[in-house]
Amino acid sequence: EAGVTQSPTHLIKTRGQQATLRCSPISGHTSVYWYQQALGLGLQFLLWYDEGEERNRGNFPPRFSGRQFPNYSSELNVNALELEDSALYLCASSLNLGLAGAPYEQYFGPGTRLTVT
Amino acid sequence: SQQGEEDPQALSIQEGENATMNCSYKTSINNLQWYRQNSGRGLVHLILIRSNEREKHSGRLRVTLDTSKKSSSLLITASRAADTASYFCATYSGTYKYIFGTGTRLKVLA
């Protein structure tokens, strides 16, 4: 079974540009999550999509946005890039909420390393 | 600040020893999960413990959960060099949001 895939592996942009990151979940998974991990730090929750709907977003400015497509793949867009956006962006997928609304474990992709110069 | 705070931030042990890391959190949770991350790549799920469970085992891993103290611990027994990684706890509180801790960097010396 193929795991979560992300593209590109590396992305180099200059300040002010836009970046688009892509994620394909494991087959059968309808929930997709995005996280930002700055160098040496923990994961900061960005977005949670399920069945095409945005369920929640973390404490990030509106220039971070995304969407989930009918095939459950997802795209993260970062507009007006700033130097501090340089980080590893991780996508994860899972089955949707289980019994009692408690989610299943997440399966992570290898990440996209975004460098803003 | 992060809901989950791991302790210690870094841990260095000899191969064969046990490694214990702790996670504290602030609010009530539905479940708590532990993940491993090698060299800044994707995370690998290790174990999920629900709020009504107190202890779970998986191979050399043992996780405990104390909801009264809002804390969890991960024990890795008979550690190996391949266990060298960062370990994160993640809590889910029913708000469509996972909160990850800051991680414990474990180094196992051969």
Side-chain angles (χ1 to χ4, degrees):
Chain A
E1 179 184 278
V4 177
T5 59
Q6 290 186 246
S7 63
T9 304
H10 294 91
L11 189 58
I12 299 175
K13 293 284 187 178
T14 56
R15 197 167 43 186
Q17 286 188 317
Q18 179 199 34
T20 298
L21 289 65
R22 296 180 177 84
C23 171
S24 291
I26 290 172
S27 177
H29 286 187
T30 61
S31 292
V32 170
Y33 316 81
W34 287 96
Y35 295 90
Q36 181 196 65
Q37 187 179 31
L39 190 63
L41 298 179
L43 278 70
Q44 299 287 331
F45 169 74
L46 264 167
L47 291 159
W48 178 330
Y49 290 100
D50 184 60
E51 301 276 359
E53 303 269 339
E54 182 181 297
R55 297 296 183 189
N56 200 2
R57 63 178 291 129
N59 189 24
F60 280 84
R63 57 191 187 81
F64 286 83
S65 65
R67 54 181 171 166
Q68 187 178 32
F69 299 100
N71 66 353
Y72 304 118
S73 66
S74 178
E75 198 173 85
L76 174 69
N77 294 294
V78 188
N79 294 321
L81 284 165
E82 300 178 2
L83 296 177
E84 52 265 35
D85 296 333
S86 294
L88 180 67
Y89 289 83
L90 292 164
C91 170
S93 74
S94 77
L95 298 170
N96 64 0
L97 294 183
L99 293 175
Y104 296 96
E105 55 263 33
Q106 298 172 78
Y107 293 81
F108 281 80
T112 292
R113 186 159 298 281
L114 172 64
T115 302
V116 182
T117 61
Chain B
S1 63
Q2 289 267 16
Q3 155 106 310
E5 297 287 340
E6 282 93 342
D7 166 54
Q9 290 188 334
L11 180 61
S12 188
I13 59 174
Q14 295 291 325
E15 207 167 27
E17 293 181 337
N18 295 342
T20 300
M21 51 205 89
N22 304 296
C23 167
S24 60
Y25 56 91
K26 296 185 174 70
T27 63
S28 310
I29 60 171
N30 285 9
N31 66 64
L32 183 146
Q33 302 181 32
W34 284 91
Y35 289 84
R36 183 185 74 229
Q37 184 180 36
N38 290 88
S39 303
R41 300 300 286 173
L43 279 71
V44 174
H45 180 264
L46 296 175
I47 201 161
L48 180 154
I49 186 164
R50 302 188 190 282
S51 59
N52 60 353
E53 297 174 314
R54 292 297 167 259
E55 187 171 312
K56 282 192 87 168
H57 296 256
S58 177
R60 294 183 296 113
L61 305 180
R62 173 179 169 249
V63 167
T64 62
L65 179 65
D66 187 334
T67 53
S68 66
K69 293 181 180 177
K70 292 187 170 57
S71 68
S72 173
S73 67
L74 170 67
L75 168 67
I76 303 173
T77 60
S79 61
R80 306 165 182 168
D83 295 328
T84 295
S86 291
Y87 292 81
F88 295 90
C89 67
T91 56
Y92 181 72
S93 304
T95 56
Y96 286 99
K97 182 177 179 179
Y98 276 99
I99 299 179
F100 278 77
T102 50
T104 291
R105 293 187 308 280
L106 173 65
K107 188 169 187 179
V108 181
L109 305 169

